[in-house]
Amino acid sequence: MQTIVASSRARDILLLALFSVVVLTAPLWATTIGAGYPDLLQKFAVFGLFAIGYNLLFGLTGYLSFGHAAFLGVGSYATVWSFKLLTMNVIPAVLLSVAISALFALVIGFLSLRRTGIYFSILTLAFAQMSYNLAYSVLTPITNGETGLRVLRNDPRVLDAALGVQVEGSPLADLFGITLTGYSGFYFCALLLILGFRVSLRIFRSPFGMKLVAIKSNQTRMEYTGFNPQPYLLSAFVISGMYAGLAGSLMAIVDPLAGAERMQWTASGEVVLMTILGGVGTLIGPVIGAATIKYFENIFSSFNDQVLQQAFDFLPDWLADFMVTIISPFVGDGWHLTLGALFMVIIIILPGGMMEGFRRIAALFGRKPVKEGQA
Amino acid sequence: MEAILLQILNGLDKGTAYALIALGLTLVFGTLGVVNFAHGALFMMGAFVAVGVQNLLTISARVRDTSITFFDAYKETPYLELWWGDVGRTIIDYAVPISVIVAIPVMLLVGLAMERGLIRHFYKRDHADQILVTFGLAIVLQEIVKGFFGANPIPVNAPQVVATSVDIGSLFGLEGITYPWWRLIYLGFSLAVIGGVFAFLHFTTFGMVVRAGMHDREMVGLLGINIQNRFTIVFGLAAVVAGLAGTMYTPILSPDYHMGMEFLVLSFVVVVVGGMGSLPGAVAAGFLLGILQSFFSMNEIKAYLPGIDQIIVYLVAVIILLVRPKGLLGKD
């Protein structure tokens, strides 16, 4: 899978520019597909970041972690605590979240990376479940258990107090006076997404990235050439943990609430899904996968029988009824079913995800694909 | 002493469920080399066989309630009761034992269909792909069950005769240790199933071939034995074991559609602790972790180590994986 394509610097810059334009103009084009509202766009960006980071570990090294939701949760909690204790400004919150999740990832990664394959997966799963169970039970003073951690008006916020910043109404995250809700919140996430993409691009093209790919293709051979894979693996694990922490922080910024359910292992499963759906080991794939899943989640789950009836209005009555009966289990509450089925189909017939699909379609038309994501 | 014995007993029913699921997982991994994340879904489906049977038996008609004379009152009465009176009522009461009989062919079919339809295309793919595709299958299965039975837990009752508790303490000359009859039956049933599986593998020719195939698949194939077909049947057997564990568990825990996922994670931990591919290891680790879990839920221990009951299973798994990577009874 990992073909080495000579890619010029100019093309990378073009790719980055194209990516930035698409992301920044999202509020314009997303309206045409019915996704033009800030809540959903924020989710695209946040989960895009999460998936990019996850891909740096799973896509490059092939180590399947089932515990990345823990870092997401840690990032969220750190951000909310920064809002509670320091200031509503997002800069310290983001820095704190990334730092703490990095520390977390360092410890978990150091232990988990002693094993490979299924054992590695189970170890990360075990650590994530421990974090989740503890966040739900004994760590309630820190996590506020089942209720979730909220930002309150009368929290100390020492930095804000020292600078004399007053909070009117319910406290909202801000960036030097700009309140980060709605579209301003989205643009903040979008800028970080572009930054995250840029870093990921650099890693893909760097000697460090090459070594990660080497670990995936043949770890033993890499050891024989005189490289110790462990430090590279650990770095990749920590970096992807930092991405997850950043995503968790953004989640708490656009909606100042952190709950333990973000850390459950099924949440880790979701990011695996996104990465696979988009295309493992590709640059853009994870973002596309994340956006697709979040889009389906929001759009599909809002469909009900009436909407379907309208959609099939043009058909004869009996056929319309038939179509509604066939499709209705897959939308609304049943969108998980669609997700599971889609996921199986992707793994079975298109292991390279949507990016491979695009490439095949492009190959059909006999030209080279514009967006070559492969390193 | 009483307290310790009580905790061991409490741990046994969870432990037996873990052991049964882990046994199936290990069988599949040992024979087919497939990591099956849909195994928890099989446990869940087994539980819903019991729900389905109970629903079928209690299909009801609206009849006039003659005990109320002031106005026309109606109540739902199952047809079985209308037709056969007390006999019908007894049949309904024994819904769970009946479902056990129903579950065996149903789960066998489900297992065979799963292996033929999906799993066999993944023998040659790596573990990550196997995990992912079966994870997708688990989501699909649980959503289908949710579509049919709804999202809420559905209570299923054990037969009246065994709905009470038994004073187990008097056997050991201790006071005040009672234990629900059904859990005792569950324990006995599980031991019988585990014993049956081991006997099947060790005392039949079929089992001998399967064990040989686990050891060296290619060699057995070269001897002219169609090992693939036998492995398919082993997969069906594993599905039956998981399904029966689920069916019998329903009176202990009202089944809902995502119960499989909860048990799956723990069973994987159990399998890994026992040693991937080691059947006795899986069973031993299942009992061990179940008992440890209930032991660490004692207030005396929680007072010293708050929260330990929530993480003990995972903690043990992490330590074992780091110290003894092949698990308790795994071979190198």
Side-chain angles (χ1 to χ4, degrees):
Chain A
M1 289 296 298
Q2 298 286 342
T3 48
I4 311 292
V5 180
S7 66
S8 64
R9 221 181 135 65
R11 237 172 75 183
D12 281 354
I13 293 171
L14 185 71
L15 180 66
L16 186 67
L18 205 66
F19 182 80
S20 314
V21 170
V22 171
V23 169
L24 291 176
T25 56
L28 300 176
W29 57 260
T31 338
T32 56
I33 54 168
Y37 44 99
D39 272 9
L40 186 53
L41 290 174
Q42 285 162 6
K43 272 187 194 157
F44 285 1
V46 168
F47 282 94
L49 257 176
F50 191 16
I52 287 181
Y54 187 77
N55 184 47
L56 285 178
L57 179 72
F58 179 48
L60 290 183
T61 68
Y63 275 63
L64 176 64
S65 156
F66 257 107
H68 264 53
F71 308 131
L72 188 85
V74 168
S76 283
Y77 283 126
T79 291
V80 175
W81 272 111
S82 160
F83 285 162
K84 285 171 90 73
L85 295 180
L86 298 174
T87 165
M88 286 310 289
N89 193 316
V90 292
I91 303 288
V94 167
L95 293 179
L96 188 71
S97 296
V98 174
I100 292 185
S101 49
L103 209 66
F104 227 70
L106 188 69
V107 176
I108 294 183
F110 179 75
L111 294 171
S112 305
L113 286 168
R114 285 156 174 267
R115 300 283 166 255
T116 57
I118 173 86
Y119 295 100
F120 169 79
S121 303
I122 297 281
L123 273 173
T124 50
L125 182 59
F127 279 116
Q129 283 297 94
M130 275 199 253
S131 321
Y132 166 71
N133 285 351
L134 286 179
Y136 243 111
S137 57
V138 258
L139 292 184
T140 304
I142 301 174
T143 61
N144 206 13
E146 228 172 304
T147 332
L149 194 62
R150 283 185 172 283
V151 180
L152 302 172
R153 255 187 92 176
N154 51 4
D155 283 328
R157 273 189 281 281
V158 281
L159 278 181
D160 277 0
L163 295 170
V165 182
Q166 291 292 320
V167 175
E168 296 110 23
S170 58
L172 291 167
D174 72 33
L175 181 66
F176 304 116
I178 312 163
T179 312
L180 294 180
T181 49
Y183 278 113
S184 58
F186 163 70
Y187 277 111
F188 183 67
C189 299
L191 285 177
L192 284 173
L193 174 66
I194 293 168
L195 186 72
F197 182 72
R198 161 112 179 86
V199 173
S200 153
L201 185 69
R202 278 300 291 267
I203 292 177
F204 265 70
R205 303 286 184 247
S206 67
F208 170 65
M210 297 289 288
K211 292 198 184 69
L212 297 182
V213 176
I215 291 172
K216 183 179 188 174
S217 43
N218 194 335
Q219 192 165 339
T220 320
R221 187 176 292 176
M222 182 177 172
E223 278 166 34
Y224 284 163
T225 50
F227 288 108
N228 178 6
Q230 223 56 28
Y232 298 106
L233 276 171
L234 189 57
S235 314
F237 194 89
V238 171
I239 291 170
S240 79
M242 285 161 82
Y243 270 87
L246 177 62
S249 166
L250 290 179
M251 231 182 233
I253 283 169
V254 293
D255 177 18
L257 168 76
E261 73 284 347
R262 263 173 216 176
M263 304 172 94
Q264 214 177 358
W265 78 279
T266 37
S268 302
E270 202 182 359
V271 73
V272 185
L273 258 148
M274 291 169 175
T275 314
I276 302 265
L277 179 68
V280 187
T282 61
L283 267 168
I284 310 208
V287 186
I288 296 179
T292 313
I293 286 183
K294 285 295 143 187
Y295 177 72
F296 276 137
E297 182 182 290
N298 275 262
I299 307 298
F300 263 44
S301 57
S302 67
F303 279 10
N304 53 29
D305 284 1
Q306 277 94 42
V307 180
L308 283 180
Q309 282 288 2
Q310 279 166 18
F312 291 109
D313 234 3
F314 63 94
L315 293 170
D317 267 356
W318 62 271
L319 193 58
D321 284 346
F322 178 71
M323 292 301 285
V324 170
T325 328
I326 295 271
I327 295 176
S328 66
F330 290 93
V331 296
D333 289 337
W335 82 270
H336 268 111
L337 182 59
T338 321
L339 194 66
L342 182 73
F343 188 49
M344 282 173 67
V345 170
I346 290 277
I347 303 268
I348 293 167
I349 61 174
L350 208 65
M354 288 164 75
M355 291 304 286
E356 192 184 328
F358 294 150
R359 213 167 297 132
R360 282 190 196 171
I361 292 170
L364 272 186
F365 291 101
R367 61 185 179 83
K368 280 194 80 175
V370 186
K371 286 186 192 174
E372 182 73 66
Q374 213 76 15
Chain B
M1 183 61 207
E2 279 96 343
I4 292 171
L5 188 63
L6 198 65
Q7 291 308 324
I8 290 176
L9 284 173
N10 280 339
L12 276 180
D13 62 296
K14 264 236 166 82
T16 35
Y18 295 158
L20 280 180
I21 304 177
L23 181 70
L25 271 176
T26 307
L27 260 181
V28 170
F29 182 78
T31 53
L32 307 169
V34 171
V35 182
N36 182 12
F37 260 52
H39 203 74
L42 292 172
F43 175 77
M44 180 269 298
M45 287 177 81
F48 274 90
V49 168
V51 174
V53 167
Q54 182 180 257
N55 286 356
L56 270 181
L57 292 179
T58 52
I59 292 174
S60 302
R62 256 160 62 93
V63 287
R64 179 86 193 274
D65 188 347
T66 44
S67 62
I68 297 170
T69 46
F70 299 116
F71 55 92
D72 282 354
Y74 292 93
K75 62 177 179 183
E76 299 263 306
T77 309
Y79 279 111
L80 281 178
E81 206 177 314
L82 286 177
W83 296 336
W84 296 333
D86 276 348
V87 179
R89 220 166 292 147
T90 316
I91 292 178
I92 293 171
D93 191 33
Y94 279 85
V96 176
I98 292 171
S99 352
V100 168
I101 298 162
V102 178
I104 292 173
V106 169
M107 293 312 296
L108 190 64
L109 274 181
V110 169
L112 294 183
M114 219 167 119
E115 203 275 340
R116 291 278 93 174
L118 181 73
I119 305 290
R120 71 141 139 197
H121 302 292
F122 279 82
Y123 293 154
K124 296 267 164 9
R125 308 269 286 263
D126 59 12
H127 285 332
D129 279 354
Q130 295 168 353
I131 291 177
L132 295 168
V133 81
T134 47
F135 182 54
L137 180 67
I139 296 176
V140 169
L141 289 178
Q142 82 181 29
E143 288 302 313
I144 291 173
V145 166
K146 184 179 157 196
F148 276 106
F149 294 97
N152 296 323
I154 302 163
V156 176
N157 296 320
Q160 281 293 319
V161 221
V162 289
T164 50
S165 291
V166 54
D167 186 12
I168 203 168
S170 54
L171 283 177
F172 301 96
L174 295 168
E175 287 295 310
I177 295 178
T178 55
Y179 197 62
W181 262 114
W182 187 260
R183 296 190 183 211
L184 213 56
I185 292 173
Y186 192 78
L187 179 61
F189 176 81
S190 309
L191 289 178
V193 170
I194 292 169
V197 169
F198 276 93
F200 177 68
L201 287 177
H202 283 269
F203 301 127
T204 62
T205 320
F206 188 99
M208 190 183 70
V209 173
V210 168
R211 275 186 299 131
M214 281 169 90
H215 197 70
D216 189 341
R217 178 189 189 137
E218 208 172 333
M219 191 65 215
V220 176
L222 287 174
L223 291 173
I225 294 169
N226 187 346
I227 192 75
Q228 185 51 54
N229 274 350
R230 299 184 189 226
F231 280 177
T232 307
I233 292 169
V234 170
F235 192 91
L237 183 73
V240 171
V241 172
L244 288 182
T247 313
M248 289 290 283
Y249 207 65
T250 46
I252 300 175
L253 178 77
S254 299
D256 57 14
Y257 72 102
H258 56 75
M259 72 189 297
M261 286 288 186
E262 287 152 26
F263 273 86
L264 174 79
V265 175
L266 284 168
S267 326
F268 255 104
V269 169
V270 167
V271 169
V272 170
V273 167
M276 277 307 265
S278 157
L279 292 173
V283 174
F287 283 110
L288 180 74
L289 289 183
I291 291 168
L292 267 183
Q293 197 174 23
S294 81
F295 198 66
F296 278 90
S297 311
M298 287 166 71
N299 286 330
E300 290 86 345
I301 291 174
K302 273 201 287 192
Y304 288 108
L305 301 162
I308 188 76
D309 55 318
Q310 300 286 332
I311 59 166
I312 181 67
V313 173
Y314 300 108
L315 203 61
V316 171
V318 166
I319 292 169
I320 289 201
L321 272 181
L322 292 177
V323 178
R324 220 188 123 73
K326 293 291 172 194
L328 283 178
L329 298 177
K331 288 174 282 275
D332 289 310

